[in-house]
């Protein structure tokens, strides 16, 4: 295809040719049609005067010679007339390799070895044609790393490694015994440039690799010599053609890398240099054959100056081969360097990348003599051989021929399929998919080629050594079987998957089908047969099966006593064992897929092996095999989770599940399955290794199982409890997402899904643990008593059993959580009656659930008794009616859920009653008719205790606004006892949990100071020293005096008391006023305001609790703030940085609001002696001088609250025809209790519910509707982020944002006496805005003592104590240094403790 051409060095022609002008001749230069040549470019320095050699270069690209070509002294490679190195002397032909992509043939003027048609040159016979295969080493496995950029020569991606290392001793089977050390064989040269004994650290400094003479010297010094045998004659200090090419390759490869920046493993350039040296008789073939040198081991060579024997004398060579290797020359331009090449297009530094672009090397057509062995043997020798030996030699030579054909077929795979496939333009598939396809389909087929090449070379060596009669061949195949041990089982085992992938790709890729059809047509042009790729893929497996047949035939013809019989038997056994390992690999690679994945132990074990085992051992091996097979299927299923589901969900377009939810869904459903896969993949690899090493009889697999059980414990502890959650997420998504349901149905039809759905895949790890236990028990039962597994297997079983037990609590917890989620999604409330029971809380749990009965509410049993399904959670009791629709059970809430904090058990001991069978019930009493006594008349008292219609009453009491007694019935005494037990357990658990997580703590301010008469006692007079009744506590306010004393003022019907906080004994009455209803403190002004008997008074705080007796305001006279009209209430706050006091009074039917502002100057004036009549009573004139009156507010507010201490706000729900009519009308019928601004909403609180409205339009702003109170709110207060509702029986604490019930504080006659107002101090900074809870108490309350205080006669209560509390917020506890732990100073502020003595109080005479 590519004819050789030459560079002539004839001295007669040089004189008549211009300098550096390449002459082209049709006879001497004939490039191949497939390789168009670029135009010639001349270097500017090419204009040197003088004759030039006759150069014919195949690409016409002239390259400047290296500066070493112009040596002043007359070097033997240089001609002073030409300025270039020329060939002189002998009539030889030298093939010089141009590594830049050019092949140069250098000849003298004498007759060239290669005629005009070099492709048909007749040379010595060879055993293997290497046309187009010289880019691949003959030794060393292929790296099998494919790439798109490799050259036709096979270098680059397909080149797995260089040739045999020059310093490595080759096995005797391949090349004979190694020679003596190289140091003893090196010759000295007169030129000290080549002195190998030099101490120069860089011996290559003066070597010019572009000169053939230099390379010749390096070859002579470095080629490995040894004793090689050919035709039964040993040749010492000899070497093979492969040794020559490898040595030259090692030299020029380093030169190309260092000086040209190109790394190539292509050996064709070295081969051409070697042939040039051969043609100049630098070395000779030991039999003086005329064969062209091959990169192989068939021929043996020696140097002419190497003398035989042990003499150390060397014959000096007078003349070295000469030529110039232009591809290795360096640019002689002075300004050219590595970083900045010169401007010449042909500069070596600029064209470094072209070095690897080598065309094919022209090879002569050779035919190995093994094709007709009988015709090559002397008839005289044949007559001396027995018939069996003739048959034996014929079979051997036929086997060699078949091996040659096999290697050629593997070469065809690469040349005809792999390379064109990678270089196809346009590509037949995407680049990333193409690499994967080549890797999966072709596998390590190039490794097989390298192994069989080495086998062929070994047979060539044996043929060379023992021809024409080969004495031994078994050892060659035995050595080959050792090398086949890794490559062939891997390929054959992977073959079913490769064929499947090839089939699938062919069916789906039309471009690939057309491409392979074209490749098959090309194969028919090259050979008589037309082979497709499928045939080539199965070729190695078929060839491996033929080895035992051929070797058995050879052994059959081997005479008795021939030592080769032993080697043949061993080789046959080794290769058969190789077939068994390949079969095992096939099973392992299948991973349960296809027919080979269904094999059992007896399918891959020879019959004679099975029969040699005992029945127990055979069963044991079968169970071990089943365990490994099951592990393969399990690992494959884990891999299919990623392939079938996760990857498909992520790549779906449009998305099956929203992108924002997809990651959460994958985490919840598949959890840590990847961790399980990692553990079991490692376990499976260990089991496969044991199986490959010990098959068919495995001693033990307990060690890897024990190690895996210890390692995957934590992964299973995390995965198994998550399964109920994963199953719920799948069911929930399928119920609400039709696209996901369609996706799951499609996945079920996937070939690898085995018709199993997603839940079966995620449940796979759970039964696998149980399967381990069953299989290990089976192995132990069949294990001999003396086997170590008898002790090891129980340890593994113990670990697996413990793992199962340890996951049970987590599974139960997850099941309960899922059950709660199901109830949460299936509970259905009546319109506008929904209650958020916080069922999705991580700490929520279901205590009990079951069926209970309820009597009809009327006397007519048209529908009979109602069957309820009652759910007892850890925070609510819910009564529902079940209704099933489309396979889903819905729970319709029948009554408002009852918080366990407000639930008490009334009676669970009433006698059973009988369900009436008549339409008209005689006993009309609803569900509570059995609470007081026995069954009512007409109820039908049962005659026997086993009457099937007996029901057992359970009476509970709901203490809420819509509560009362509820009587439900069970159908058995045991069920009633169980319900009572569960209710007691749930209520007790709720108390413990609430006690540990309460939001507010009651801190007493006073416990024994304020008393009221008991209901049973007679009326008593007003408070005096004999009578301690203080009346009803109505108000309170905390404050701090100017000298830092923390005090609290408490108002009641008989006056105002002031004392230290949290010190009940320090309380003293400072004002003797009647009917005190409100009090407030203006700390900035030192003013105390009191609303008593509808009159508003102002006192200077120093007059009530003086800081010292000498205080200027001790005798300050109070002032009456309002005029003659009654004040109904007042409020204090800040508006625009100004402290304001607002009070409301009635004027007819209108409410009039007055706004006052304290005047500091007037308050701090010393009091003057009163001169008016009213001064005798200690009261100044009606017009207060301490306040400045401002404009009155219009009386148009529906209700008014001073919120955020900053402004007045009013909101009403508009009456619009948009669905809010019912809510607006309900607001008109309910009593408003308060309004609070929460971010961009107003929270409107009524006595039975609350609703959030927009600050702009007044429309409800939340989809949740109203928040229904459990109690009847008598007052509402807010302590961010909680809102508190005061019922007379309990305090209800809810979260402002969500409305969730946070705490129930029970009590008796509870009232709120301070809600955070009544001081001019601003609210806590950042409380509402930063969503943090202020640690300062903001709310006071009062409640009656549990037991009355007794006076007088024993058992006769005279008065009841009123306990005054402040609601102190509790703060969550964080471990020290925990992330997110707040600074202690944020929550726990330093507070002054109560002093040991009471404060200074100024008793004042009653002025009213």
């Amino acid at each position: 295809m590519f004819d050789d051409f030459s560079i002539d060095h004839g001295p007669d022609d040089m004189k008549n040719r211009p300098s550096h002008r390449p002459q082209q001749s049709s006879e001497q230069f004939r490039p191949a049609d497939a390789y168009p040549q670029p135009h010639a470019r001349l270097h500017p320095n090419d204009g040197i005067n003088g004759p030039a050699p006759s150069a014919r270069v195949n690409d016409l690209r002239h390259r400047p010679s290296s500066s070493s070509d112009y040596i002043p002294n007359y070097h033997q490679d240089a001609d002073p007339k030409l300025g270039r190195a020329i060939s002189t002397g002998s009539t030889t032909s030298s093939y010089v390799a141009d590594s830049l992509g050019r092949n140069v043939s250098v000849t003298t003027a004498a007759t060239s070895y290669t005629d005009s048609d070099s492709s048909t040159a007749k040379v010595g016979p060879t055993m293997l044609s290497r046309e187009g295969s010289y880019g691949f080493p003959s030794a060393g496995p292929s790296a099998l790393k494919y790439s798109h950029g490799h050259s036709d020569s096979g270098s680059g991606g397909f080149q797995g490694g260089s040739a045999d290392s020059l310093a490595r001793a080759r096995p005797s089977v391949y090349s004979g015994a190694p020679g003596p050390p190289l140091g003893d064989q090196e010759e000295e040269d007169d030129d000290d440039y080549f002195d190998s004994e030099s101490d120069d650290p860089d011996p290559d400094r003066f070597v010019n690799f572009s000169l053939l003479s230099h390379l010749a010297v390096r070859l002579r010094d470095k080629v490995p010599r040894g004793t090689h045998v050919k035709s039964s004659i040993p040749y010492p200090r000899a070497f093979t053609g492969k040794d020559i090419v490898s040595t030259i390759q090692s030299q020029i490869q380093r030169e190309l890398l260092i000086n040209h920046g190109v790394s190539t493993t292509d050996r064709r350039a070295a081969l051409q240099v070697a042939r040039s040296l051969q043609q100049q008789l630098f070395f000779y073939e030991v039999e003086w054959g005329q064969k062209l040198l091959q990169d192989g081991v068939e021929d043996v060579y020696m140097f002419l100056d190497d003398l035989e024997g042990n003499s150390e004398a060397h014959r000096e060579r007078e003349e070295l081969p000469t030529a110039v290797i232009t591809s290795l020359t360096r640019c002689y331009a002075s300004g050219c360097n590595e970083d900045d090449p010169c401007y010449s297009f042909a500069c070596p530094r600029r064209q470094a990348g072209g070095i690897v672009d080598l065309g094919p090397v022209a090879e002569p057509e050779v035919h190995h003599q093994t094709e007709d062995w009988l015709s090559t043997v002397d008839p005289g020798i044949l007559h001396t051989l027995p018939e069996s030996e003739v048959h034996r030699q014929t079979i051997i030579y036929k086997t060699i021929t078949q091996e040659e054909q096999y290697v050629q077929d593997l070469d065809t795979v690469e040349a005809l399929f792999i390379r064109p496939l990678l270089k196809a333009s346009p590509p037949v598939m995407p680049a990333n998919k193409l690499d994967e396809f080549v890797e999966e389909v072709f596998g390590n087929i190039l490794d097989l080629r390298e192994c069989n090449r080495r086998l062929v070379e070994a047979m060539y060596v044996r043929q060379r050594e023992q021809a024409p009669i080969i004495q031994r061949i078994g050892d060659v195949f035995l050595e080959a079987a050792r090398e086949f041990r890794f490559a062939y089982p891997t390929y054959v085992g992977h073959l079913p998957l490769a064929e499947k992938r090839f089939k699938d790709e062919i069916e789906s890729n039309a471009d690939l089908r057309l491409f392979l059809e074209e490749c098959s047509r090309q194969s028919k042009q090259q050979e008589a047969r037309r082979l497709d790729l499928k045939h080539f893929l199965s070729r190695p497996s078929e060839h491996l099966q033929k080895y035992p047949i051929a070797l058995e035939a050879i052994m059959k013809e081997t005479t008795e006593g021939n030592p080769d019989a032993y080697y043949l038997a061993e080789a046959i056994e080794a290769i058969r064992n190789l077939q068994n390992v390949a079969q095992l690999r096939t099973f392992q690679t299948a991973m349960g897929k296809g027919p080979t994945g269904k094999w059992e132990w007896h399918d891959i074990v020879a019959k004679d092996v099975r029969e040699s085992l005992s029945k127990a051992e055979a069963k044991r091996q079968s169970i071990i095999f089943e365990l490994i097979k099951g592990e393969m299927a399990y690992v494959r299923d884990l891999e299919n989770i990623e392939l079938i589901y996760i990857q498909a969900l992520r790549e779906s377009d449009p998305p099956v599940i929203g992108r924002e939810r997809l990651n959460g869904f994958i985490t919840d459903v598949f959890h840590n399955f990847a961790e399980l896969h990692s553990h079991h993949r490692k376990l499976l690899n260990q089991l496969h290794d044991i199986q490959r090493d010990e098959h068919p009889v495995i001693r033990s697999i307990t060690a890897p199982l024990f190690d895996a059980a210890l390692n995957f414990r934590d992964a299973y502890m995390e995965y198994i409890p998550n399964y109920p959650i994963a199953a719920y997420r799948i069911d929930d998504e399928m119920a609400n997402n039709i696209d996901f349901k369609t996706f799951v149905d499609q996945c079920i039809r996937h070939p690898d899904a085995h018709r199993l759905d997603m839940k079966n895949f995620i449940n796979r790890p759970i039964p696998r643990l149980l399967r381990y236990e069953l299989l290990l028990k089976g192995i132990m039962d069949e294990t001999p008593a003396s086997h170590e597994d008898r002790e090891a297997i129980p340890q593994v079983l113990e670990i697996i059993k413990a793992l199962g037990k340890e996951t049970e609590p987590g599974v139960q917890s997850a099941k309960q959580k899922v059950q709660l989620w199901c109830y949460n999604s299936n509970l259905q409330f009546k319109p506008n009656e929904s209650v958020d029971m916080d069922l999705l809380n991580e700490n929520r749990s279901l205590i009990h659930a079951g069926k209970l009965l309820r009597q009809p509410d009327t006397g007519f049993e048209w529908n009979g008794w109602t069957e309820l399904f009652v759910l007892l959670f850890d925070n609510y009791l819910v009564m529902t009616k079940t209704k099933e629709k489309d396979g889903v059970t819905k729970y319709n809430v029948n009554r408002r859920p009852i918080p366990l904090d407000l639930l008490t058990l009334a009676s669970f001991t009433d006698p059973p009653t009988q369900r009436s069978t008549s339409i008209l019930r005689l006993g009309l009493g609803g569900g509570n008719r059995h609470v007081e006594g026995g069954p009512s008349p007409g109820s039908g008292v049962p005659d026997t205790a086993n009457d099937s219609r007996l029901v057992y009453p359970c009476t509970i009491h709901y203490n809420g606004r819509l509560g009362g007694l509820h009587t439900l019935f069970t159908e058995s005494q045991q069920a009633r006892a169980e319900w009572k037990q569960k209710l007691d357990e749930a209520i007790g658990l709720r108390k413990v949990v609430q006690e540990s997580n309460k939001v507010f703590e009651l801190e007493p301010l006073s416990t024994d100071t304020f008393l009221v008469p008991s209901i049973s006692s007679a009326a008593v007079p007003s408070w005096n020293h004999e009578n301690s009744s203080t009346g009803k506590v109505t108000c309170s306010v905390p404050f701090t005096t100017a000298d830092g004393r923390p005090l609290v003022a408490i108002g009641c019907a008989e006056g105002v008391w002031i004392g230290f906080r949290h010190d009940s004994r320090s309380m003293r009455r400072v004002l003797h006023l009647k009917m005190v209803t409100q009090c407030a403190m203006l700390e900035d002004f030192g003013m105390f305001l009191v609303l008593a008997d509808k009159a508003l008074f102002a006192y200077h705080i120093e007059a009530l609790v003086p800081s010292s007796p000498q205080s200027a305001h001790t005798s300050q006279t109070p002032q009456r703030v309002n005029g003659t009209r009654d004040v109904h209430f007042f409020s204090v706050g800040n508006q625009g940085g100004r402290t304001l006091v607002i009070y409301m009074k009635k004027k007819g039917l209108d409410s009039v609001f007055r706004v006052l502002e304290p005047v500091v100057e007037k308050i701090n004036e010393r009091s003057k002696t009163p001169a008016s009549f009213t001064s005798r009573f200690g009261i100044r004139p009606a017009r207060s001088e301490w306040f400045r009156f401002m404009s009155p507010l219009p009386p148009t507010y529906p209700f008014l609250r001073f919120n955020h201490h900053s402004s007045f706000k009013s909101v009403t729900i508009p009456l619009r025809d948009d669905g809010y009519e019912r809510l607006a009308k309900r607001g008109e019928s309910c009593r408003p209790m308060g309004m609070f601004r929460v971010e961009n909403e107003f929270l409107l609180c009524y006595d039975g519910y609350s609703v959030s409205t927009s600050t702009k339009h007044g429309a409800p702003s939340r989809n949740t509707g109203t928040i229904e109170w459990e109690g009847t709110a008598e007052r509402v207060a807010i302590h961010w982020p909680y809102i508190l509702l005061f019922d007379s029986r309990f305090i209800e604490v809810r979260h402002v944002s969500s409305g969730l019930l946070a705490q129930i504080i029970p009590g008796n006659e509870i009232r709120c006496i301070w809600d955070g107002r009544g001081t001019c101090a601003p609210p806590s900074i950042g409380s509402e805005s930063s969503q943090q809870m202020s640690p300062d108490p903001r709310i006071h309350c009062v409640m009656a003592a549990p037991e009355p205080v007794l006076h007088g006669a024993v058992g006769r209560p005279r008065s009841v104590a009123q306990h005054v509390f402040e609601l102190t917020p509790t703060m969550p506890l964080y471990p020290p240094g925990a992330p997110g732990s707040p600074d202690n100073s944020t929550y726990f502020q330093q507070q002054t403790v109560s002093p040991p003595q009471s404060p200074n109080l100024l008793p004042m005479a009653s002025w009213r």
Side-chain angles (χ1 to χ4, degrees), residues 736-858:
N736 298 296
N737 188 346
I738 187 64
D739 293 336
F740 180 75
K741 188 176 187 301
T742 304
F743 169 78
V744 173
D745 293 338
Q746 292 175 350
C747 292
I748 293 176
R749 293 191 289 272
H750 191 281
D752 293 334
H754 309 296
R755 308 295 299 177
L756 300 177
D757 61 4
M758 185 183 289
K759 288 203 292 187
N760 288 106
F761 273 95
I762 63 174
N763 183 55
R764 190 76 166 83
I766 300 175
R768 183 59 187 166
L769 291 179
L770 302 178
R771 189 66 178 167
Y772 283 136
E773 186 176 344
L774 180 63
L775 292 173
L776 287 174
K777 286 182 179 178
I779 294 174
M780 187 171 65
D781 292 341
E782 306 300 332
T783 301
S786 59
H787 201 283
E788 65 267 16
D789 277 356
R790 280 288 186 176
E791 297 180 0
I793 290 180
Q795 299 177 8
V796 181
L797 290 174
E798 184 179 354
I799 295 175
I800 295 177
K801 288 180 180 179
L803 177 59
K805 293 180 180 179
E806 291 171 358
T807 56
E808 288 180 1
V811 172
Q812 294 300 323
S813 176
K815 287 182 177 179
Q816 290 185 1
K817 184 183 296 185
V818 169
Q819 196 175 26
L820 286 172
W821 293 349
C822 293
Y823 285 135
N824 182 75
S825 59
N826 295 323
L827 281 174
Q828 295 183 338
F829 291 86
K830 296 178 181 178
N832 303 312
E833 292 186 5
S834 63
V835 177
D836 188 352
M837 295 181 288
D838 197 21
L839 295 183
L840 299 182
N841 191 308
E842 289 291 332
N843 299 320
R844 199 90 299 128
S845 62
L846 178 68
I847 305 298
H848 192 54
K851 182 180 72 173
L852 291 176
L853 303 174
R854 193 184 68 225
Q855 281 183 325
D857 296 331
T858 63

Side-chain angles (χ1 to χ4, degrees), residues 1194-1226:
T1196 57
Y1197 290 84
F1199 65 93
L1200 181 67
R1201 296 293 286 176
F1202 215 153
N1203 185 43
H1204 278 263
H1205 314 286
S1206 59
S1207 61
F1208 291 99
K1209 296 290 180 183
S1210 66
V1211 173
T1212 55
I1213 299 177
L1215 292 172
R1216 301 184 304 185
D1217 189 16
D1218 54 3
Y1220 299 137
E1221 301 89 348
R1222 184 195 63 82
L1223 188 60
K1225 292 180 179 179
R1226 183 183 180 189

